[in-house]
Amino acid sequence: AVVSTQSGHYGRDNSSANTWQCISADTEINSGPCRRSCHKMVLDSKHKLIYILGRYLDVRARVNMELKSDFYCYDIQCDQWNLISSDTGSEGGPSLIYDHQMVLDSDLQTIYIFGGKILNNSGIRSEAEYSGLYKYHIPSNVWTVLKPDNDLMLRSRFGHSMLYHPDKKQLFIFAGQREHFLDDFLVYNTHNDTVEEVMCVDETKVPESGFTMRATIDTQHQEIHMMSGLSKDHRNGSKDYTDAKTKIYVYSLKRNKWNEVGKNAGCTEPEPCPRFAHMLVYDSRKKLHYMFGGNPGAGNPMERGTDMDRRLDDFWCLRIKRPAFGDMKRALQFLVRKFKFRDMSLRDPVGALLYLQQHVEEVVDHSNKEEEHQFQELVVSVFDNSS
């Protein structure tokens, strides 16, 4: 794994040895990009190349500065940087942007870039400009505008999530922010330039709208994994940002359904504390998620201060466990026998108690607090019905 940071360092994580290796202490000296943040990187694993686009500049740093969008490629095998473009905006590509999303189709040698805020010299109170959907064809070095910012079906945004399904040739776009938080779930079909809004089977289980929500995709299991970020307090019309809460969702492409599989509202070891503006990547072969950094507190993410105490540098690994067939079979048996017991207890309390001892208890997972509590309630119900 290769990591780029705001300080201009470029490092490699040797996961097998659990150590970091600094590839370059200053990439600008090595003909690479200058120091930056809020940029995006994509990896072409087939050709061992990394592409970097975008960055954020403080308002004071933009004064009297010509804002250009540089575009770099790093060759991992040759350890060499290549400046593809000094200004993509002048070549039909996006202007200088930050908080955008970028994905790559290695087979088609095409990069897709969507959203993000456009930097300008007009000051922080100027009207925000957003970038549309672009594609970049690597072999021909040609940019194409697929959807402009004002497209009605695909509204540009920043702080969103975007994934690419290489088999379906589709972009999945979630949430983000424009004038307000967005909670839409869109699919862009790259083969016919169409946009669809996904309407899920159970809308009550759809992740709540948020900022810097992070997502990954597992094409083998046809699943999307979503980790929540920062949300807003909508009570009484409030526009304040609430504390970040970690919720993990899984969306099934086959069943068109979301499920919440984990949550953590506070800093409880050995789990990471809630955060936003973090990074999340997925190793589809080992089925492992890796999460790094972020901001743990509440506040307006637009206020990009210099308080580094509110930045995290922890590194976590997550495996989403799937229930084994035996566990699912036992849980179903408990459910069926529980209802049979309740029916028996109304007609034959003594027989129901024997059934509870001989057949229900044997399929109860007593280490599961919820199941144990349900079982104890069944025991109590026998005596309640007989009294």
Side-chain angles (χ1 to χ4, degrees):
V2 183
V3 179
S4 170
T5 70
Q6 186 171 355
S7 64
H9 283 68
Y10 213 61
R12 180 181 284 114
D13 168 30
N14 187 346
S15 300
S16 59
N18 197 29
T19 59
W20 288 90
Q21 174 191 344
C22 182
I23 301 172
S24 173
D26 189 342
T27 50
E28 191 172 10
I29 295 177
N30 303 122
S31 302
C34 61
R35 61 180 63 194
R36 61 191 60 203
S37 63
C38 304
H39 53 290
K40 285 296 177 287
M41 302 195 310
V42 289
L43 169 67
D44 184 346
S45 57
K46 182 178 293 186
H47 299 92
K48 303 295 186 293
L49 298 171
I50 294 174
Y51 296 88
I52 296 180
L53 179 74
R55 60 171 168 153
Y56 176 79
L57 287 170
D58 186 82
V59 177
R60 291 168 294 182
R62 300 178 219 164
V63 177
N64 300 323
M65 181 180 182
E66 188 178 6
L67 299 176
K68 292 185 176 182
S69 173
D70 52 10
F71 186 30
Y72 283 90
C73 175
Y74 174 69
D75 189 317
I76 298 174
Q77 293 178 316
C78 299
D79 187 22
Q80 183 176 340
W81 286 100
N82 175 37
L83 177 62
I84 300 174
S85 172
S86 60
D87 184 19
T88 56
S90 64
E91 299 174 358
S95 301
L96 184 56
I97 54 177
Y98 67 95
D99 282 349
H100 49 293
Q101 286 296 333
M102 184 163 69
V103 296
L104 180 143
D105 186 322
S106 185
D107 294 330
L108 297 181
Q109 283 295 280
T110 300
I111 297 175
Y112 297 93
I113 299 100
F114 174 63
K117 273 192 171 182
I118 299 174
L119 283 178
N120 56 54
N121 301 101
S122 303
I124 196 169
R125 297 189 181 277
S126 62
E127 185 176 352
E129 296 180 82
Y130 300 90
S131 184
L133 175 62
Y134 292 82
K135 78 171 181 179
Y136 173 72
H137 186 239
I138 298 171
S140 62
N141 190 32
V142 171
W143 287 95
T144 305
V145 182
L146 298 175
K147 296 289 181 183
D149 167 43
N150 57 0
D151 187 88
L152 296 178
M153 287 296 295
L154 186 59
R155 298 186 68 203
S156 294
R157 61 200 67 198
F158 71 109
H160 52 293
S161 294
M162 184 171 78
L163 302 170
Y164 183 67
H165 197 305
D167 299 326
K168 296 177 179 289
K169 305 302 179 186
Q170 292 178 325
L171 295 173
F172 295 90
I173 299 166
F174 314 88
Q177 185 174 359
R178 194 167 172 116
E179 294 83 7
H180 52 81
F181 276 19
L182 302 171
D183 58 3
D184 51 359
F185 180 11
L186 304 172
V187 176
Y188 175 76
N189 300 290
T190 64
H191 58 280
N192 60 9
D193 190 37
T194 58
V195 180
E196 304 170 20
E197 183 170 6
V198 178
M199 305 304 292
C200 298
V201 173
D202 187 352
E203 291 293 328
T204 62
K205 294 186 177 181
V206 173
E208 61 187 30
S209 59
F211 183 75
T212 66
M213 300 172 75
R214 302 308 189 201
T216 62
I217 189 168
D218 187 325
T219 55
Q220 180 185 355
H221 289 121
Q222 295 295 297
E223 288 180 347
I224 289 172
H225 314 120
M226 173 77 76
M227 180 177 286
S228 60
L230 190 69
S231 60
K232 267 188 176 177
D233 187 354
H234 296 289
R235 293 169 297 181
N236 301 320
S238 173
K239 295 183 179 180
D240 294 331
Y241 289 82
T242 65
D243 287 333
K245 293 182 180 180
T246 300
K247 290 186 178 180
I248 301 172
Y249 300 87
V250 174
Y251 172 74
S252 170
L253 293 170
K254 294 178 180 178
R255 297 191 297 273
N256 185 28
K257 186 177 181 180
W258 286 99
N259 278 306
E260 183 181 320
V261 298
K263 62 181 177 181
N264 180 24
C267 290
T268 305
E269 294 293 344
E271 295 181 352
C273 66
R275 63 196 65 202
F276 68 97
H278 50 294
M279 289 304 297
L280 183 74
V281 295
Y282 184 57
D283 184 335
S284 58
R285 289 179 295 179
K286 296 182 179 180
K287 308 301 179 186
L288 289 174
H289 282 89
Y290 295 94
M291 182 182 73
F292 176 73
N295 187 323
N300 192 328
M302 302 306 99
E303 298 174 358
R304 299 174 183 270
T306 57
D307 183 8
M308 295 309 294
D309 291 337
R310 299 182 66 81
R311 301 295 184 269
L312 298 167
D313 61 355
D314 50 352
F315 193 30
W316 292 83
C317 178
L318 168 70
R319 183 188 299 276
I320 299 176
K321 292 185 177 180
R322 301 172 183 276
F325 174 77
D327 293 332
M328 291 190 290
K329 179 182 177 182
R330 182 201 56 75
L332 286 173
Q333 287 176 325
F334 175 54
L335 183 65
V336 171
R337 295 180 189 185
K338 181 173 63 175
F339 281 104
K340 182 177 180 179
F341 162 79
R342 286 175 175 170
D343 180 61
M344 290 179 62
S345 63
L346 297 175
R347 297 178 286 99
D348 181 11
V350 176
L353 185 59
L354 290 173
Y355 181 78
L356 183 70
Q357 295 171 334
Q358 297 174 0
H359 299 285
V360 180
E361 186 176 14
E362 67 179 8
V363 293
V364 176
D365 180 3
H366 292 283
S367 64
N368 185 312
K369 292 182 180 180
E370 184 178 349
E371 280 195 22
E372 175 64 20
H373 177 69
Q374 292 178 20
F375 178 71
Q376 294 300 330
E377 285 185 330
L378 294 177
V379 175
V380 173
S381 68
V382 174
F383 299 98
D384 288 343
N385 293 335
S386 61
S387 60

